[in-house]
Amino acid sequence: MSMVRVRDLVVRYGSATALDGVSLTVGSGEMVALVGPNGAGKSTLVNALSGVVRPASGTVRVAGRLAHVPEGRRLFPDLTVEDNLRLGGWRSRSRDPAEVYELLPALVRLRSRRAGSLSGGEQQMVAVGRALMARPEVIAVDELSLGLAPMVVAGLARHLAALNAGRGTAVLLIEQNARLAFRLCSRAYVLEAGRVVAEGPCAELARSP
Ligand code: ADP
Ligand code: ADP
């Protein structure tokens, strides 16, 4: 079942076309990468999924709640990890982080730490946890790898994959680093200048030049 279905999406900013007929699906329990250089239209696509940006034409359908983990983490640095998590639950009115601790056990020992005192990878995990507080069916993660060591990214990706398998949460990873995204995901879309220029299983895309 498709949790995200985008068809022939066109988005314009004034006279500039940011997305020019993009189609994409993410299935339940699927982990899909959206890769492409700066300015390709990745943020615009995510903004269209969350309803922040209105299509000029085409359709966008998200089955269930979408949670977006923005680039740069954007935690409240002076609040504890647990308080940051609780703030993520305001919309779903689920203030109890117990379930998130089950999904991301590494957060338990960090719960009383000031978010600003954590490493980049730890902060990124808190950001994912905060998004999970909304109990999303779909989670879109911006630049998971930004500024992080490959081993840290691999650890985060394992958590996402477990979530994906355990709960059927659909994951869309938005990455500039295509090689990394291909390693983490099963399927990928490559965006360039507002168009999908390649798509398919990551194993195949990783082999193509
Ligand atoms: P990416 O996330 O891949 O870097 P974006 O979706 O941010 O790409 O941008 C796609 C294109 O749309 C770029 O040319 C960018 O300059 C332009 N763009 C993005 N947001 C706006 C905006 N609010 N107003 C005008 N142009 C925008
Ligand atoms: P990203 O690389 O993740 O897309 P950007 O720095 O390009 O991040 O964009 C950050 C914000 O600025 C986004 O909300 C985007 O819509 C907006 N933006 C991007 N390009 C332009 C632009 N050319 N004119 C106006 N706003 C823009």
Side-chain angles (χ1 to χ4, degrees):
M1 181 194 167
S2 288
M3 298 306 290
V4 174
R5 182 181 293 280
V6 174
R7 278 216 187 111
D8 302 322
L9 178 63
V10 176
V11 174
R12 296 200 180 90
Y13 297 109
S15 61
T17 303
L19 293 177
D20 190 8
V22 169
S23 296
L24 164 153
T25 62
V26 186
S28 172
E30 228 192 345
M31 195 148 148
V32 171
L34 177 64
V35 305
N38 250 323
K42 304 183 297 297
S43 305
T44 300
L45 182 57
V46 173
N47 288 339
L49 293 180
S50 56
V52 177
V53 151
R54 210 140 32 108
S57 64
T59 57
V60 172
R61 207 206 52 173
V62 178
R65 264 182 305 272
L66 171 88
H68 182 203
V69 182
E71 186 188 321
R73 290 136 210 149
R74 291 189 211 150
L75 302 174
F76 292 93
D78 291 327
L79 297 184
T80 63
V81 165
E82 184 144 317
D83 285 341
N84 270 281
L85 291 179
R86 287 181 199 283
L87 285 170
W90 67 272
R91 239 165 76 197
S92 58
R93 290 191 228 130
S94 53
R95 303 260 175 189
D96 183 1
E99 194 187 345
V100 169
Y101 288 135
E102 263 173 52
L103 294 166
L104 301 172
L107 287 181
V108 174
R109 68 180 172 80
L110 302 175
R111 64 200 295 173
S112 307
R113 293 268 301 275
R114 220 172 51 83
S117 75
L118 303 179
S119 72
E122 289 168 338
Q123 289 191 29
Q124 188 69 306
M125 195 167 358
V126 177
V128 171
R130 186 175 61 176
L132 292 178
M133 287 292 290
R135 301 172 181 237
E137 281 79 26
V138 182
I139 180 166
V141 185
D142 275 358
E143 305 291 346
L144 183 71
S145 71
L146 204 74
L148 300 180
M151 266 188 46
V152 175
V153 177
L156 284 168
R158 268 198 302 279
H159 284 300
L160 283 175
L163 199 82
N164 195 245
R167 252 195 167 187
T169 310
V171 179
L172 183 64
L173 271 193
I174 297 105
E175 276 283 344
Q176 273 193 50
N177 184 339
R179 283 176 58 186
L180 179 109
F182 292 164
R183 278 207 303 276
L184 304 179
C185 295
S186 54
R187 226 157 41 79
Y189 293 85
V190 182
L191 262 191
E192 262 176 44
R195 291 170 185 261
V196 175
V197 295
E199 64 178 282
C202 289
E204 283 174 25
L205 289 172
R207 274 197 301 271
S208 61

